[in-house]
Amino acid sequence: MSTAQAESQERTGLVDGSQVEALAALLDLDASSLPVRAVPELWHWTHLLDRPAQRDIGPDGHALRGGLLAPPGPDRKRMFAGGRVRTHALLRPDVEATRRSAVVSRTTKEGRSGRLTFVTVRHDYTQAGRLVVSEDADVVYRDATSRMDIPLGAPDRPLPQVDGPYLRLVVDETTLFRFSALTYNAHRIHYDHGWAAHEGYPGPVIHGPLQALLAGELLRREGPGLIGHELSYRLVRPAVGPQTLTAVPHPEGISRGARVLDGSGEVTVEAELAPLPTTTTQEDAWQR
């Protein structure tokens, strides 16, 4: 393993309150049901985003240069693999914040589908001099010739039966387009059928962060929430094509985390929740 400490970026700006309203609209939530003057857990993914120049965009929609996640070689296919989010407090909208990002590791392995390069980027969000959210995001690059045997989702398939609390999200091309816009993600596998086929998928791929967000929403609405916890999640398998996703509690209970099921009942995301070493409440974080 090699660690690249020199690759870093910093972005400072206002946390845009209109992005909160926009994501609430995508999730069919009434904005009045959200925390007062706060960005809900995991919703920081729509703030302080990278905005590469069009001339720096490659054929797949990702930045070829100038970013922390520039591909390690030509024609490498990028996939979001998972991450770990530590929520100390909630960001406040319409208040300046800073996101500091750095590549913390790069690892290359040989897998069944060929060479795999794993890159982990750490993002620290600070506001009013306090660390609010810290996360490690894991991305994997596959070789150009690699393929994935993933079935296409069926939107009219009977949904899996679940016990206990759950959340469902109907995902179609419009949902994918709007989430791509909210996260400034131009990766063509999420909206371009032809490019998705070029990368080995039978249809447009549902964003990994959108699935992780659904798991987080179940924990926020029905469970202990994410403040004072680390959410460790991994993408078990891609979800492809229009379908309904279902977030359900972890097999050991909602206090342990959540899962996301695709339209056929297969697990696509595993998310585990663990208390941070020092639990900090939202009120304590802003009164210190």
Side-chain angles (χ1 to χ4, degrees):
M1 175 184 295
S2 64
T3 301
Q5 298 287 353
E7 298 178 82
S8 62
Q9 291 180 346
E10 182 173 309
R11 177 180 291 275
T12 296
L14 289 180
V15 175
D16 188 352
S18 66
Q19 288 289 87
V20 175
E21 297 178 10
L23 186 50
L26 177 66
L27 299 176
D28 278 328
L29 281 174
D30 185 344
S32 65
S33 68
L34 301 177
V36 177
R37 287 198 51 75
V39 177
E41 294 98 307
L42 298 187
W43 290 32
H44 67 279
W45 284 336
T46 66
H47 298 274
L48 301 175
L49 303 173
D50 293 329
R51 296 182 175 90
Q54 190 66 22
R55 62 180 175 273
D56 293 331
I57 298 296
D60 63 355
H62 282 310
L64 277 176
R65 54 186 177 272
L68 298 181
L69 290 175
D75 300 323
R76 300 297 298 279
K77 300 176 183 178
R78 175 172 154 183
M79 290 178 56
F80 194 76
R84 293 150 300 285
V85 180
R86 296 165 289 278
T87 306
H88 301 279
L90 300 181
L91 286 169
R92 288 188 171 184
D94 305 315
V95 176
E96 189 175 83
T98 296
R99 187 190 75 171
R100 296 180 178 89
S101 305
V103 174
V104 295
S105 70
R106 292 183 186 270
T107 307
T108 299
K109 300 178 180 179
E110 290 293 329
R112 288 180 297 177
S113 60
R115 181 181 42 159
L116 300 172
T117 300
F118 295 88
V119 181
T120 297
V121 177
R122 179 162 298 160
H123 303 288
D124 287 336
Y125 295 78
T126 58
Q127 199 169 42
R130 301 176 177 90
L131 179 64
V132 180
V133 176
S134 178
E135 71 168 302
D136 296 330
D138 302 326
V139 173
V140 60
Y141 291 89
R142 298 183 289 124
D143 282 337
T145 57
S146 65
R147 310 286 293 182
M148 300 194 72
D149 184 19
I150 301 297
L152 188 64
D156 55 352
R157 179 178 295 164
L159 297 176
Q161 298 296 310
V162 297
D163 296 322
Y166 66 89
L167 284 180
R168 285 201 164 117
L169 180 67
V170 178
V171 181
D172 58 15
E173 287 89 349
T174 303
T175 311
L176 298 179
F177 178 85
R178 296 180 75 189
F179 192 74
S180 289
L182 275 171
T183 55
Y184 217 77
N185 181 353
H187 195 181
R188 291 168 61 184
I189 63 171
H190 301 305
Y191 58 87
D192 184 330
H193 285 252
W195 190 267
H198 171 74
E199 292 206 13
Y201 300 102
V205 180
I206 300 176
H207 308 71
L210 179 58
Q211 298 182 62
L213 178 66
L214 184 62
E217 280 295 287
L218 180 67
L219 298 173
R220 181 179 75 84
R221 301 185 206 178
E222 304 288 345
L226 274 62
I227 300 172
H229 291 84
E230 178 181 77
L231 182 71
S232 177
Y233 63 95
R234 61 188 180 93
L235 280 297
V236 178
R237 57 183 273 147
V240 180
Q243 58 186 293
T244 298
L245 301 178
T246 305
V248 299
H250 188 280
E252 297 181 21
I254 199 167
S255 63
R256 288 291 311 278
R259 285 177 163 176
V260 175
L261 312 178
D262 65 13
S264 62
E266 296 290 333
V267 176
T268 63
V269 173
E270 294 271 13
E272 295 189 353
L273 200 61
L276 291 172
T278 301
T279 300
T280 304
T281 66
Q282 171 71 10
E283 292 75 17
D284 288 344
W286 288 102
Q287 288 176 2
R288 286 190 301 185

